[in-house]
Every structure is written in structure tokens, then in C-alpha cells.
Amino acid sequence: MTVRNAEVATAFEEMADLLEIEGANPFRVRAYRFAARTLRDLPAEVGEMVAKGEDLTGLPGIGDDLAGKIKEILSTGTAAAIEAQRKRVPATVTELLRIPGLGPKRVKTLTQELKIRSPSELQKAAQEGRVRTLAGFGEKTEQHILAALAARLAEAPRVKRAVAIPYAEALVAYLEQLSGVGRVMAAGSYRRGLETIGDLDILAVAPAGRPVTDRFVAYQEVRDVLAHGETKASVRLQSGLQVDLRVVPQESYGAALLYFTGSKSHNVVLRQLAQQRGLKLNEYGLFRGDTRVAGETEESVYAALGLPWIPPELREGRGEIEAAKAGRLPHLVDLHDLKGDLHAHTRATDGRHSLQEMAEAARLRGLQYFAITDHSRRLTMAKGLDSTRLLQQMEDIDRLNATLSGITILKGIEVDILEDGNLDLPDNVLGRLDLVVAAVHSRFTLSKQKQTERIMKAMDHPHFSILAHPSGRLIGRREPYDVDMLRIIRKARERRCFLEVNAHPERLDLTDIHCRMAREEGVLLAVNTDAHSMLDLENARFGIGQARRGWLEKSDVLNTRSYAELRKLLKPTMKA
Ligand code: DGT
Ligand code: CA
Ligand code: CA
């Protein structure tokens, strides 16, 4: 059995949640969360470390006890302590945690005060207006819970892209080395760069299907075989992820890849185009009568329909075919276009590495500039900086810059936008920074109008540079707050400031739709990692994926600019 870091981390996070619901010692809860984060950030697979006999207790937050539990999970898939804890907290209570907006603290209150034990009991209590009476809840929260419950019932669980990637890559590599197998590609929403994946769709080229589907269902991580045929098979992996495989002959590869990449709405328009030309398009090729006129490559199919190749990220039936016809497809931004990163944390607040370590990691990635933007004082949980500590950090950065070559460290802050729209640090301090990244970290449930006005007021601030994670959503965990994004985008244009595409795989905020809206309104976006560790700088690729889904070109992205250009854009003389 192969157990990956993410699975061990998930088990530890679950343990922390269970303990917290029970009101266990907060230090124990924190120890599990910290260990989970260590595992998620770990570049090596912990299973391989154990196999090589390496000592896990050298890892941050992993002592003898947790090292033992990791080994137990690696060999048995679970740990006795977690199983025992699961028995003490009923599964229906654990399910409450999966409702957006409900963390362990709130679940604890619900179970203790209202004796709620399941989502359906919660729904009943909310409908009867009993939830709003609890401390820390209120009427708004109650409405949110009801909306989230309704949405949840309509939605199957989806897997975050970052979680799906290692599974997809390992499976593609496994299939590629089978004899007789040619190209192998992950298609579907995965190839379109969607932020979450319903299931994984894999396409393999081989002269005969059966030997490939046989080996596919025998893959070591398969838990259940859902279907197993000549050219198709479907399995569920131990992680719960479903994978569909299709095996096609070489001459159908392009047509099949096009078909299984989707989206359905893109395919529908392509088939209509084919029909208008007296052709028929399916997963085997493009046909005139019985004659295949194209199909071995995607390019051949598009070309036969009078179109250039369309990047998968655009294939959502959102006008890409019209744009392609008119020769107006965007030239999408690439990871290597990024010249800098404008949002990152250090150990001074809630990051894991020092200023020097973060700067070195950014330099090694080839960035020309890198902004340090730690939290402001209001975020006490993250040890937010007050003016004194920020000024101290600015001096540290000046000293560091004097020793660095090839990269400039910019002085910034991720300042809290307070409920009244003011910023959490005084103007005279903010004015001395190279840039001010501002974010909402509190009062997520204000009305749309109040939330929008709060943010717009912050943008009026003379030193405001970038609005961080503009919608505040956490994928699968927290809904975006209610905000009029078009008004905010227009405000950014008027104020000549910028919005962020936060690249953290749990945020990816702005969304693709709002990226596109910003581009159409002429507002530049900053693709930022919001790194809390050196490894987090890798997340830039997820931000770029989102930007590409939002039709962004290099020229639409602020941090593709040279350092000199950037400086002019950050501190325009006109701004007042
Ligand atoms: P997902 O899995 O929910 O994240 O989304 P997709 O886009 O991967 O959808 P999925 O797995 O149901 O199907 C993969 C692709 O296969 C889809 O994007 C287009 C193609 N496809 C599947 N079923 C149909 C269908 O009934 N009609 C057409 N035209 N295409 C289909
Ligand atoms: Ca899929
Ligand atoms: Ca599928």
C-alpha cells in the first residue's frame, strides 16, 4: 500500500478536528495541525523516508509520538488513536465539519448547546431559528448555514487540483511504461486546469485495449473496479478519487483527446461546426461519410474546422470558438513570464522561514523582485506586525538588499482592512513601504453593499496597492463573501491599483470568471503565491493556471513587468 503525505496529513487534521470538537487540550490540537502542515510542505514522501530508515523526529513538529503514528498510518492506513477518537465522536458530527463556514469550534458549540448530531438536525435547528441564538453565530450565519446545506446536497465532492496532481502524474507514468502503450494524457477538467476535479479522465494510445485496461485495474492504488472492458475501465483509488481510462488507436488520438478534454459545451459547438461543413465529429475522428478527414492530432481536427488550436484552459464554451474564428484568441500568460512575486510571509508573522531564507528561495527561482508582506497587528493569532516591528523589518530588508544580487526584496505589508474600511496601520508608516497589499480577514458576513463599500473605501487609501484574495473563499471550506466584484474591479481601474490572483491551491482567488472580467475592464492582476514557506513558491503554477483560465495574457499581469516598470506602476505620481 502506498500512503502519501497528503493522506497522513488529512488523518492528522481529522484528529485535530475531532479533539477540538471534544474540547481537548488546545496544545494537543495544535500539535496535530502543525504536524499536518509539515507533512503537506514536505518535498519528500514520508513513506520513502521511513523505507530508507530516516529519522522523522528531525522534522518540524514531529516528536516520537507523532513519528510512531505516521509509521502506523503508513503500514495500516490508519492509527489506533484516530480510530478510537472517531468512535467517540459520531461520524454524523464529523460530517458537520464539511459544511462551509463550520469549523471545529462552531461544531463544538452546536453539539454542546443544541445537542446537534448531524447535518439534518442542523438544518432543522437553523430553520427553526435556534442557531442564531448561540454565541458567535447570529442570523447571518444561520442563513449561510442553510444556504451551504442546500448547496451541499446538490453537489458531489470534488478534489482540489493540487491534491489530484500527484495521483494523475503517478498513474500516467505507470501507464506510459507498459509495453505497447504510446502517448498517455490526463484529459477532462484536469487538463482544462480547473481548480477542482470531479474525476480523472486518462487517455492512452495502444493498438489493443484489453492488455492496457487489465494492467490499469491492477494498479496498486486501486480500491474498487467500477467497470472493466475492452477499451474502457473505471476505478476508485484508495484515496477515493475516481479514474476513467480510455484506450484508443494512434489515428484517433487527437479526436479522442479533444472529446475527453471537453468541456461538454465546447464539444457541442465543435460538433455543430462540423455539421455545418457536412462533417461528423466524434471521439474516433472527423469524418466525411466513412472517410476520416482528421483525428490523429487535435490541431488536425481544429484545422479541418477552420480553427487554430485552442488551449484547453479556454475550452469552456465561453466564446473561445468565436474568438478563434476571428483570430482573437488571447496569447495566454505562462509561468516563465512571471518576473516577481508580490505577496509572501516570513517567520516574523505566520510564515515558516526567515526573511533571508525566503529571499534566497525567490532568487533561486529566478525572480527579479520579491515582496515581503507579513500580516499587520490586527491579526494577533498570526503575530501581526505593529509599526515598530514593521519599521524594524524594513531596515532588515534594506540591509539584506545591500548583500543580494540579481533580486530586489520589496518592503510590503499584508494590512488588514478593518470593518470600517480603514487600514490597520497608520498612513505615515504605510507610505514608507514599496507596496501595500490589503486584505479582509474578518467580518466575512457583512451584507453585499457593506462589504463592497468597506473594500472600496480601503482602496481609496493613498497607499493602497493590491487587494489580496479578493473574494475570501477557501475552496471546499469557505464560501466567498458577498461582494460586488465588478464595482471593485472598476474602482481598481479608477484608483490605478491592482487585484490579486492568489495562487494558493486552496484559494485561487480571483476566480477565472473574475480574472476575465478584470482583463476586460483593463485592470492589471498580480499572480502572487502568498507563500508561507520556501516551498510555497512552487504554487505560482496554480495561480498561472487560474490566470490562463481567465484569458489573461502576459500584458494583463502586473508581475510580468520589469522591476523598473513595476516601480512606476506601484507609485504613480498621479495618485492622491
Ligand atoms: P469533472 O470530472 O466533473 O471535473 O469534469 P469533466 O469535464 O472532466 O467531465 P467528465 O469527467 O464527466 O467527462 C470528461 C470529458 O468527456 C468531458 O469534459 C467531455 C467528455 N464527455 C463526457 N461525457 C460526455 C457527453 O455525454 N457528451 C459529450 N459531448 N462529451 C462528453
Ligand atoms: Ca473528469
Ligand atoms: Ca470522467
Side-chain angles (χ1 to χ4, degrees):
M1 168 162 50
T2 312
V3 178
R4 290 175 191 280
N5 291 351
E7 291 164 54
V8 185
T10 304
F12 281 1
E13 275 153 12
E14 184 189 343
M15 185 68 174
D17 289 345
L18 295 172
L19 287 169
E20 197 165 356
I21 293 170
E22 264 207 338
N25 181 338
F27 289 103
R28 262 186 93 198
V29 174
R30 230 172 289 154
Y32 277 104
R33 289 206 201 288
F34 189 73
R37 196 161 144 196
T38 295
L39 289 166
R40 287 204 190 279
D41 289 347
L42 204 61
E45 283 294 333
V46 74
E48 285 166 24
M49 292 178 65
V50 169
K52 282 192 234 152
E54 288 176 34
D55 180 16
L56 300 182
T57 61
L59 298 171
I62 312 278
D64 287 335
D65 175 50
L66 289 178
K69 292 206 172 70
I70 291 173
K71 287 183 192 154
E72 198 183 342
I73 295 170
L74 288 174
S75 62
T76 69
T78 183
I82 296 175
E83 291 304 312
Q85 199 65 29
R86 275 186 185 147
K87 290 211 180 82
R88 292 154 62 107
V89 182
T92 48
V93 171
T94 320
E95 250 183 80
L96 294 173
L97 285 172
R98 304 214 179 89
I99 297 165
L102 289 188
K105 283 211 186 74
R106 279 185 162 163
V107 170
K108 183 179 159 196
T109 309
L110 290 167
T111 53
Q112 291 188 341
E113 306 290 322
L114 296 180
K115 308 282 173 249
I116 285 169
R117 314 295 285 173
S118 68
S120 56
E121 286 177 18
L122 175 61
Q123 190 171 33
K124 187 158 176 282
Q127 280 161 351
E128 289 166 1
R130 285 186 285 134
V131 172
R132 70 181 73 173
T133 62
L134 297 174
F137 279 80
E139 201 174 331
K140 275 273 151 57
T141 311
E142 192 176 74
Q143 292 306 318
H144 277 279
I145 288 174
L146 279 172
L149 280 168
R152 202 177 112 82
L153 294 175
E155 216 183 82
R158 297 180 65 85
V159 178
K160 281 193 282 292
R161 176 172 184 73
V163 174
I165 285 175
Y167 293 101
E169 289 179 348
L171 201 42
V172 167
Y174 169 79
L175 293 167
E176 271 174 343
Q177 52 83 41
L178 298 179
S179 75
V181 171
R183 304 194 57 175
V184 181
M185 274 287 257
S189 52
Y190 181 84
R191 182 163 179 246
R192 301 201 309 282
L194 232 71
E195 58 204 28
T196 62
I197 310 295
D199 68 4
L200 203 53
D201 306 281
I202 295 187
L203 188 68
V205 171
R210 177 59 80 167
V212 185
T213 61
D214 284 352
R215 297 299 300 276
F216 173 67
V217 301
Y219 183 59
Q220 58 166 358
E221 284 184 47
V222 168
R223 186 172 75 198
D224 304 311
V225 177
L226 310 172
H228 181 187
E230 202 62 43
T231 58
K232 301 184 206 188
S234 282
V235 299
R236 194 174 299 285
L237 301 181
Q238 272 147 15
S239 62
L241 184 66
Q242 186 183 321
V243 188
D244 295 343
L245 172 73
R246 280 291 285 254
V247 188
V248 297
Q250 180 66 39
E251 64 268 22
S252 297
Y253 176 70
L257 185 58
L258 194 57
Y259 183 88
F260 291 109
T261 297
S263 66
K264 280 173 196 149
S265 41
H266 180 83
N267 291 351
V268 165
V269 185
L270 285 184
R271 277 201 301 272
Q272 286 167 351
L273 271 186
Q275 270 165 13
Q276 287 164 15
R277 294 171 177 243
L279 302 168
K280 189 169 179 303
L281 177 63
N282 59 32
E283 63 261 56
Y284 304 104
L286 183 65
F287 297 90
R288 170 165 284 121
D290 289 335
T291 313
R292 186 200 311 270
V293 298
E296 187 165 348
T297 63
E298 285 189 332
E299 285 83 351
S300 72
V301 178
Y302 280 117
L305 298 175
L307 298 171
W309 181 80
I310 299 178
E313 294 94 333
L314 300 182
R315 300 183 196 170
E316 295 294 344
R318 294 177 185 156
E320 69 278 8
I321 291 173
E322 293 78 350
K325 255 191 224 162
R328 283 190 287 97
L329 278 179
H331 188 71
L332 297 180
V333 62
D334 247 325
L335 186 57
H336 66 249
D337 291 329
L338 288 183
K339 297 214 167 62
D341 189 346
L342 299 174
H343 184 170
H345 298 267
T346 73
R347 220 153 42 206
T349 61
D350 59 351
R352 284 189 47 196
H353 293 113
S354 68
L355 170 62
Q356 287 77 6
E357 288 169 323
M358 293 301 285
E360 182 59 12
R363 199 181 64 84
L364 286 176
R365 283 186 67 85
L367 299 184
Q368 293 174 19
Y369 49 87
F370 183 60
I372 296 297
T373 59
D374 269 313
H375 288 291
S376 66
R377 59 191 174 185
R378 166 67 175 266
L379 268 196
T380 47
M381 269 179 13
K383 300 181 289 171
L385 302 181
D386 58 15
S387 300
T388 314
R389 288 177 64 215
L390 177 57
L391 290 167
Q392 179 62 52
Q393 187 184 58
M394 291 166 66
E395 284 177 25
D396 293 344
I397 293 175
D398 283 337
R399 264 197 305 277
L400 179 62
N401 271 330
T403 71
L404 288 174
S405 63
I407 186 167
T408 304
I409 308 305
L410 299 177
K411 291 170 278 192
I413 185 84
E414 180 180 3
V415 67
D416 259 49
I417 298 175
L418 303 177
E419 189 188 344
D420 61 5
N422 284 317
L423 301 182
D424 184 31
L425 282 168
D427 276 1
N428 59 351
V429 176
L430 295 177
R432 295 174 58 176
L433 293 163
D434 296 313
L435 81 167
V436 172
V437 174
V440 167
H441 290 124
S442 60
R443 303 303 308 262
F444 298 122
T445 55
L446 292 181
S447 70
K448 184 173 194 162
Q449 188 181 347
K450 282 205 176 118
Q451 196 70 276
T452 306
E453 279 165 8
R454 169 194 191 184
I455 294 171
M456 295 206 322
K457 182 170 169 202
M459 294 169 92
D460 267 328
H461 193 284
H463 304 301
F464 186 105
S465 320
I466 300 174
L467 178 63
H469 40 75
S471 87
R473 64 121 175 226
L474 294 175
I475 297 172
R477 285 209 289 140
R478 187 169 76 206
E479 294 294 311
Y481 36 75
D482 209 0
V483 81
D484 188 336
M485 203 57 85
L486 183 58
R487 277 182 76 197
I488 289 187
I489 287 168
R490 293 195 166 143
K491 182 77 180 178
R493 186 179 56 198
E494 173 200 323
R495 294 291 307 152
R496 301 184 191 198
C497 62
F498 313 97
L499 304 190
E500 178 176 83
V501 183
N502 190 293
H504 192 284
E506 241 194 357
R507 289 194 181 272
L508 297 175
D509 180 11
L510 293 176
T511 61
D512 49 4
I513 302 266
H514 287 144
C515 283
R516 193 164 167 193
M517 190 186 274
R519 165 179 151 89
E520 278 161 11
E521 296 288 325
V523 170
L524 296 190
L525 301 178
V527 176
N528 291 336
T529 62
D530 194 358
H532 284 70
S533 74
M534 298 193 283
L535 260 175
D536 283 352
L537 294 176
E538 295 286 337
N539 289 341
R541 63 175 171 153
F542 301 118
I544 286 293
Q546 188 80 331
R548 289 170 64 89
R549 287 185 52 81
W551 291 50
L552 300 192
E553 302 192 337
K554 182 178 175 185
S555 60
D556 299 315
V557 176
L558 175 65
N559 46 330
T560 61
R561 301 294 204 270
S562 70
Y563 180 58
E565 259 315 288
L566 175 85
R567 286 217 81 96
K568 278 189 237 152
L569 288 162
L570 285 177
K571 296 264 172 169
T573 45
M574 296 283 294
K575 209 158 158 179

